[in-house]
Amino acid sequence: MRHNILFPTDFSPAAHHAFQYALLLAEKLDTALDLMSVYHLPVGDTSRVAPHQVDSLLREKRAVVMQHLGELAEEAPSNRIGQLRADYGLFVYQEIIDVAGRGGHQLIVMGTKGERSPVQQMMGSVTTHTLMNAPCPVIAVPQSAPVRPISHIAYATDFEPKDEKAVANLTELAARLKAKVHFVHVDREVDAAKTEAYKMVDQYPLPFSDFTVVAHPNPAEGINAFIAERDMDVLSLFVPNRRLLERLFHRSFTKQMAFHTKVPLLVFRG
């Protein structure tokens, strides 16, 4: 049985914003946050010191990271904080994935940086590699996303047969959050200029309670319009394999997948 939420941080403003979001989730799910940060020594530092001094520098670095994690933990109720972890590693995303796998975490919550456009925020190597390989669902929180309870989740579907497992997991999570799931599919074949932008359908392949077909030649724009019009709190996607996720986040595709809706992205992997 999966338990705590894993919250990786680099102590940036984006990460601190995501921490507030993670705390709210922990409260709603009645669980705790395991805080972790990955550290390493810059190549320049190790090249200027004798080998026997490297261990000392690493101990000092770890102590500083643990101090910062402790200060972060003090911002939250004590019953919402689990483990504090300072992990050494050159590849941050791999350490996150390994810790989530060993710890059996139910969810990873992490921030996305905002130094570029909202689309490029989702291109950070740590975020995308974690999304592609994590053993549990991941919520990527843009720095501009409001910190508010999750009441409405948009689930974008293409009628993949493997949707069924993701839908079951999402439905369980939504029930615990007391949130409603709204299923949306973008039909690019329909001439949006000659039909209504939205149409409700009574028959669909899975037992959805709320399902909308959006007629739009551009899937990303159609989903964004749906999220904005219906005031969704989260966009959820099921990605059945790594290759598809790489395609979704490829730079040539991000012009279409313009996640400028400023809502967190919840990804389930197959």
Side-chain angles (χ1 to χ4, degrees), residues 136-206:
C136 61
V138 180
I139 296 184
V141 184
Q143 195 169 358
S144 56
V147 178
R148 65 186 186 188
I150 297 176
S151 299
H152 299 279
I153 302 172
Y155 179 81
T157 178
D158 278 332
F159 307 136
E160 291 284 344
K162 293 181 181 179
D163 258 2
E164 207 162 344
K165 181 179 178 181
V167 168
N169 292 334
L170 177 60
T171 301
E172 179 186 358
L173 178 61
R176 294 173 65 195
L177 293 170
K178 295 181 172 57
K180 184 174 182 179
V181 179
H182 306 261
F183 298 86
V184 57
H185 171 73
V186 179
D187 190 342
R188 292 188 293 183
E189 301 303 319
V190 179
D191 187 347
K194 297 181 180 179
T195 64
E196 295 180 1
Y198 301 93
K199 59 179 181 179
M200 297 303 297
V201 294
D202 296 323
Q203 301 297 324
Y204 29 80
L206 293 173

Side-chain angles (χ1 to χ4, degrees), residues 74 112 171 240:
E74 289 176 359
T112 56
T171 301

Side-chain angles (χ1 to χ4, degrees), residues 19 35 64-76 84:
F19 180 61
L35 312 184
V64 170
V65 171
M66 287 298 294
Q67 179 182 343
H68 290 330
L69 287 172
E71 292 168 354
L72 186 63
E74 289 176 359
E75 298 182 23
L84 306 184

Side-chain angles (χ1 to χ4, degrees), residues 237-255:
L237 300 172
F238 169 59
V239 181
N241 55 60
R242 174 174 176 166
R243 183 176 178 183
L244 177 58
L245 191 59
E246 287 174 336
R247 180 176 69 82
L248 286 175
F249 285 96
H250 192 276
R251 280 184 168 79
S252 65
F253 195 70
T254 54
K255 292 180 180 179

Side-chain angles (χ1 to χ4, degrees), residues 110-147:
M110 57 196 308
T112 56
K113 295 183 179 180
E115 66 271 11
R116 304 179 191 176
S117 71
V119 171
Q120 290 170 317
Q121 291 175 26
M122 301 306 302
M123 293 301 297
S125 62
V126 173
T127 299
T128 52
H129 280 289
T130 303
L131 288 169
M132 284 191 285
N133 297 285
C136 61
V138 180
I139 296 184
V141 184
Q143 195 169 358
S144 56
V147 178

Side-chain angles (χ1 to χ4, degrees), residues 63-111:
V64 170
V65 171
M66 287 298 294
Q67 179 182 343
H68 290 330
L69 287 172
E71 292 168 354
L72 186 63
E74 289 176 359
E75 298 182 23
S78 59
N79 67 326
R80 294 301 168 209
I81 298 298
Q83 291 185 327
L84 306 184
R85 298 184 56 102
D87 291 81
Y88 172 80
L90 297 178
F91 300 100
V92 177
Y93 62 86
Q94 191 60 57
E95 297 303 319
I96 295 171
I97 292 164
D98 289 347
V99 169
R102 292 194 302 268
H105 292 86
Q106 61 175 298
L107 190 66
I108 297 173
V109 179
M110 57 196 308

